[in-house]
């Protein structure tokens, strides 16, 4: 080929090579740019999925979904407590003992070890075992139901609710509740309680509910003024077992249940706060006109006292028509 013909051909070849190089460079740049873009998209998708997973509106951690949300398969790998074990480097010298004489001489016969006297066992506190070892403690509530207890166990000072039903507890001592200033509810149903110290509950300034049904009580101890509900059904309490005007100063008392006892009369005076009085199945035969209402004040209305049960007693309620004028409804009982 003539030299004059090579010039245009060479120039065209150079342009083609330059164009090919530009195409390759653009492809490389595009591929390099696509990698971070894909990575950013992947991270954005993961962030969106995490936000959806932990959205309070969608988050429902139940026993069924617990395994889906929290993966416990690698629990041992995450918490490898072996990392805290002391490491011993091979080839290092052990530290010199403080008492070199105690080291055995090489080649000497080892002396037999002298038996050491056994160490005395750790003494148990005088208060006895805490209730949380005998019962179930959840928060400030102590559950001792059907635990074969013969006395009330030592309670944590923060106890608010005590349930010790269906046991063999025979007595309530004043020391059983010492220092329990937050105690609000005591349930000792279905025990063998025949005696309670006179001041067993008086110092419990926060006590609101005292449940003692199905026991063997023959007397009621003094009650704190904070009491709202007293349930002492199915005991053996006679009228002589109640303190004189036992309920007059209990301004918070709303529920007084003393059915299935041995009462001879209605324990008046009753506080104005009272809403429910259950005295059925006793031995009540009569009442005073002032038992429920003030006979000197015919304008009196006791709207709170709506539930009075006197059925199962030998009293004829029709003989005392002036005893109910202040009540919103008549007592339940025999009127003939």
């Amino acid at each position: 080929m003539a030299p004059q013909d090579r010039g245009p051909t060479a120039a065209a070849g150079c342009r083609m090579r330059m164009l090919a190089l530009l195409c390759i460079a653009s492809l490389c740049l595009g591929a390099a740019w696509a990698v971070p873009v894909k990575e950013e998209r992947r991270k954005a998708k993961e962030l969106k999925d995490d936000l959806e997973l932990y959205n309070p509106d969608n988050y429902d951690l139940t026993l069924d979904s617990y395994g889906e949300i929290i993966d416990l398969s690698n629990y041992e790998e995450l918490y490898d407590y072996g990392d805290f074990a002391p490491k011993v480097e091979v080839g290092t010298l052990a530290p010199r003992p403080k008492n070199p004489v105690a080291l055995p001489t090489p080649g000497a016969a080892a002396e037999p070890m002298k038996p050491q006297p056994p160490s005395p066992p750790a003494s148990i506190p005088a208060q006895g075992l805490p209730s949380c070892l005998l019962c179930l403690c959840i928060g400030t509530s102590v559950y001792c139901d059907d635990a074969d207890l013969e006395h009330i166990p030592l309670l944590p000072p923060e106890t608010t609710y005590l349930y010790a039903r269906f046991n063999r507890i025979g007595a309530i001592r004043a020391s059983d509740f010492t220092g329990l200033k937050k105690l609000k509810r005591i349930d000792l149903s279905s025990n063998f309680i025949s005696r309670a110290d006179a001041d067993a509950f008086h110092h419990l300034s926060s006590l609101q509910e005292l449940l003692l049904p199905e026991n063997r009580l023959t007397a009621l101890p003094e009650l704190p003024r904070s009491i709202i509900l007293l349930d002492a059904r199915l005991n053996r309490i006679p009228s002589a077992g109640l303190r004189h005007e036992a309920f007059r100063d209990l301004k918070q008392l709303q529920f007084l249940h003393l059915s299935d006892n041995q009462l001879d009369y209605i324990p008046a005076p009753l506080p104005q706060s009272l809403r429910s009085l259950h005295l059925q199945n006793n031995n009540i035969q009569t009442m005073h006109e002032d038992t429920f209402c003030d006979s000197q004040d015919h304008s009196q209305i006791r709207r709170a006292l709506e539930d009075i049960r006197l059925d199962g007693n030998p009293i004829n309620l029709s003989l005392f028509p002036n005893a109910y004028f202040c009540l919103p409804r008549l007592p339940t009982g025999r009127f003939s």
Side-chain angles (χ1 to χ4, degrees):
M1 182 179 293
Q4 58 269 21
D5 297 333
R6 290 183 188 150
T9 303
C14 288
R15 286 195 296 271
M16 291 297 293
R17 285 193 297 271
M18 184 64 67
L19 183 59
L21 290 174
L22 289 174
C23 291
I24 293 172
S26 63
L27 290 175
C28 292
L29 289 174
W33 177 259
V35 171
V37 170
K38 289 182 179 179
E39 183 67 19
E40 291 296 330
R41 289 178 180 175
R42 185 183 64 82
K43 291 182 178 180
K45 185 176 184 303
E46 290 180 355
L47 178 60
K48 181 179 179 182
D49 294 341
D50 291 342
L51 291 176
E52 291 179 357
L53 177 61
Y54 294 102
N55 187 353
D57 297 332
N58 300 328
Y59 188 74
D60 186 16
L61 183 59
T62 63
L63 292 177
D64 296 332
S65 60
Y66 190 87
E68 300 175 2
I69 298 176
I70 302 178
D71 183 14
L72 299 180
S73 60
N74 60 345
Y75 184 84
E76 294 182 357
E77 297 177 4
L78 294 175
Y79 297 93
D80 184 9
Y81 296 103
D83 294 342
F84 299 100
K87 297 181 179 179
V88 178
E89 296 182 5
V90 179
T92 58
L93 293 176
R96 182 178 296 276
K98 295 181 180 180
N99 186 12
V101 182
L103 288 176
T105 306
E111 296 183 1
M113 295 183 61
K114 297 181 180 179
Q116 299 294 330
S119 57
S123 60
I124 299 177
Q127 298 89 344
L129 290 174
S131 59
C132 293
L133 295 180
L134 303 172
C135 312
L136 175 63
C137 296
I138 302 178
T140 59
S141 299
V142 179
Y143 300 89
C144 299
D145 291 345
D146 200 12
D148 202 28
L149 299 178
E150 295 183 357
H151 58 82
I152 297 172
L154 179 68
L155 298 171
E158 300 297 319
T159 301
T160 305
Y161 302 96
L162 169 64
Y163 300 89
R165 301 167 291 192
F166 313 110
N167 285 288
R168 296 187 293 117
I169 299 172
I172 302 174
R173 302 165 298 179
S175 59
D176 288 336
F177 303 110
T178 300
L180 301 178
K181 298 181 179 180
K182 298 183 179 180
L183 197 55
K184 293 182 178 180
R185 181 185 179 99
I186 298 175
D187 191 345
L188 298 172
S189 305
S190 302
N191 277 276
F192 299 154
I193 302 172
S194 59
R195 180 180 59 83
D197 288 351
D199 55 347
F201 307 109
H202 180 65
H203 61 282
L204 301 176
S205 57
S206 298
L207 186 63
Q208 298 178 355
E209 302 178 19
L210 178 59
L211 293 90
L212 301 168
E214 297 187 71
N215 279 284
R216 302 174 181 177
L217 287 170
T218 57
L220 276 182
E222 188 175 357
L223 300 171
R225 297 192 177 187
S226 58
I227 198 74
I228 295 176
L229 181 150
L230 173 64
D231 185 354
R233 297 171 293 118
L234 296 163
N235 277 276
R236 305 171 182 177
I237 304 171
S239 293
L242 300 179
R243 302 170 66 88
H244 178 63
E245 297 185 345
F247 308 110
R248 182 189 63 181
D249 296 329
L250 303 182
K251 306 300 184 182
Q252 307 296 324
L253 183 63
Q254 299 182 27
F255 304 92
L256 178 57
H257 296 172
L258 295 172
S259 59
D260 295 279
N261 277 283
Q262 300 173 12
L263 300 178
D264 298 319
Y265 56 83
I266 299 172
L270 298 169
Q272 294 294 318
S273 58
L274 196 63
R275 297 171 53 190
S276 177
L277 176 65
H278 287 189
L279 298 173
Q280 64 268 33
N281 301 324
N282 278 280
N283 192 36
I284 299 173
Q285 303 181 30
T286 186
M287 74 169 68
H288 298 288
E289 290 187 351
D290 290 341
T291 298
F292 302 118
C293 308
D294 185 357
S295 60
Q296 304 300 320
D297 183 8
H298 288 276
S299 64
Q300 180 190 17
I301 300 177
R302 296 189 64 167
R303 300 186 184 277
L305 189 52
E306 296 184 346
D307 179 23
I308 301 176
R309 294 281 306 273
L310 291 170
D311 47 306
N313 285 277
I315 187 173
N316 184 353
L317 298 179
S318 64
L319 300 178
F320 312 94
N322 297 327
Y324 322 121
F325 70 86
C326 68
L327 301 177
R329 57 174 51 92
L330 292 174
T332 300
R334 184 169 64 90
F335 279 88
S336 61

